[in-house]
Amino acid sequence: MQMVYHIGVHGTDGDRMLKTLLNNRGRLLRDRTEVVTPNRHRGVFEEALAALNGGPATPEMEQIMQDAVLDSDDPLRVICTSPGFLGVPSRAIGPEGLYPQAGARIAALTNLFPSAGAEFFVAIRNPVTLIADVLDLHGGDYASLMGGVDPLSLSWLTAVQRMAAGAQGRRLVVWCHEDAPIIWPDVVRLVGGLPPSEPLPGGLLYMHEMLGDQGLRELRGALAGRELPVSQRRDLYAEHLQRNALPHMVEQDIALPGWTQETVDQITARYYQDIPQIAALPGVEFILA
């Protein structure tokens, strides 16, 4: 059995992964792939993680968890999705930077089912918008969230290095949240273990949100009757986003204590400078737009 964990990060998914996978549930089940909804695994996994404290589950404990969360018999691939796998939003930032516990959390997840394989999927995002969104989830207390950490010091490179160390050679797939609308069908197929050419009902969910009804109709019209290579399809998506994206979906006001436009620009520049280095990390499979 292969356990597949889509682990966030916070503010990157909005249940889109779960919705798209459930749109393809019948197809996945034919391949003996089960999608476990958060309401089934949330309490079970949290209690087990707390009890194990990072250690491996016994075969008996594995069986109890399987009986609790699985509907199908003997699945080959089990997909679970939740940003809660990385902890609560208030721990997204610590003295060591972004998601300081990510490596330990991933290592602990592998120990939930030590007899199974494990894969991890995670979207990273510009720390500027991450902090703004996590602050809302945290209750609006900026000083408490940051804990004195200089926002200019935040780097995804060190965070993903911790994730790769926690995965210990297991598959770790990373992409940029900003690219998600363009690469979404490819991300979902990887999570689901589906072939690249597999039809994907719901694969335009993200583009629908970005373009609205009229924009999606135009995109569907441009796609009708065409089987495009991945690169051309992504170019077409990008073209339609540039022309028809809803303003409120691509613009976000940032008003954080002590921040200036220069702060935003410097953090954003570092983020994009880190991406090529993250993509080149050993053990990281990076999805480039």
Side-chain angles (χ1 to χ4, degrees):
M1 186 173 71
Q2 195 77 1
M3 294 296 300
V4 180
Y5 299 98
H6 172 232
I7 60 176
V9 298
H10 295 98
T12 60
D13 179 61
D15 291 335
R16 297 180 189 93
M17 180 64 72
L18 181 64
K19 290 176 182 177
T20 310
L21 289 170
L22 290 178
N23 271 332
N24 294 270
R25 190 172 190 176
R27 171 67 176 84
L28 292 168
L29 285 173
R30 287 196 296 275
D31 286 344
R32 294 171 64 190
T33 296
E34 180 169 347
V35 181
V36 181
T37 57
N39 65 306
R40 288 186 66 87
H41 68 64
R42 186 178 292 117
V44 175
F45 286 0
E46 287 176 353
E47 288 182 14
L49 288 167
L52 292 169
N53 194 28
T58 63
E60 294 77 14
M61 192 172 183
E62 284 189 78
Q63 188 61 56
I64 290 171
M65 287 189 287
Q66 289 183 41
D67 292 342
V69 304
L70 297 180
D71 284 329
S72 58
D73 295 327
D74 196 25
L76 295 177
R77 190 174 182 86
V78 177
I79 305 172
C80 305
T81 172
S82 172
F85 289 140
L86 286 177
V88 295
S90 61
R91 295 190 178 179
I93 298 167
E96 300 85 2
L98 294 167
Y99 291 94
Q101 299 300 315
R105 299 284 296 191
I106 285 176
L109 285 169
T110 67
N111 278 331
L112 280 180
F113 297 93
S115 67
E119 299 178 11
F120 298 93
F121 291 80
V122 58
I124 61 175
R125 65 181 299 189
N126 189 334
V128 172
T129 57
L130 173 69
I131 292 170
D133 284 356
V134 168
L135 188 61
D136 288 339
L137 297 172
H138 181 56
D141 189 338
Y142 178 81
S144 172
L145 174 65
M146 298 300 294
V149 172
D150 180 359
L152 296 176
S153 71
L154 297 176
S155 167
W156 274 113
L157 179 59
T158 53
V160 177
Q161 286 173 327
R162 284 192 287 266
M163 294 181 192
Q168 301 174 53
R170 297 171 180 86
R171 190 183 196 189
L172 174 63
V173 182
V174 182
W175 64 95
C176 291
H177 173 62
E178 294 79 9
D179 294 335
I182 295 173
I183 63 175
W184 191 244
D186 310 304
V187 171
V188 176
R189 288 188 181 98
L190 286 175
V191 172
L194 296 169
S197 59
E198 180 76 20
L200 190 73
L204 289 175
L205 170 69
Y206 225 129
M207 292 298 289
H208 191 187
E209 290 183 20
M210 299 296 295
L211 299 174
D213 293 341
Q214 179 58 36
L216 183 67
R217 280 193 290 271
E218 290 187 25
L219 176 60
R220 287 190 185 279
L223 291 168
R226 304 169 68 185
E227 291 193 16
L228 299 175
V230 169
S231 60
Q232 291 184 27
R233 172 175 51 76
R234 291 180 181 178
D235 288 344
L236 184 65
Y237 282 17
E239 176 187 326
H240 280 256
L241 283 172
Q242 186 173 16
R243 188 170 66 244
N244 295 326
L246 301 173
H248 71 277
M249 295 298 296
V250 294
E251 298 173 0
Q252 182 173 354
D253 292 330
I254 303 297
L256 295 170
W259 286 38
T260 63
Q261 186 60 49
E262 183 180 8
T263 308
V264 172
D265 292 344
Q266 289 179 353
I267 295 172
T268 300
R270 178 168 187 176
Y271 172 55
Y272 286 109
Q273 289 167 4
D274 280 348
I275 289 170
Q277 297 181 71
I278 293 170
L281 286 174
V284 172
E285 183 178 335
F286 201 92
I287 306 175
L288 291 167

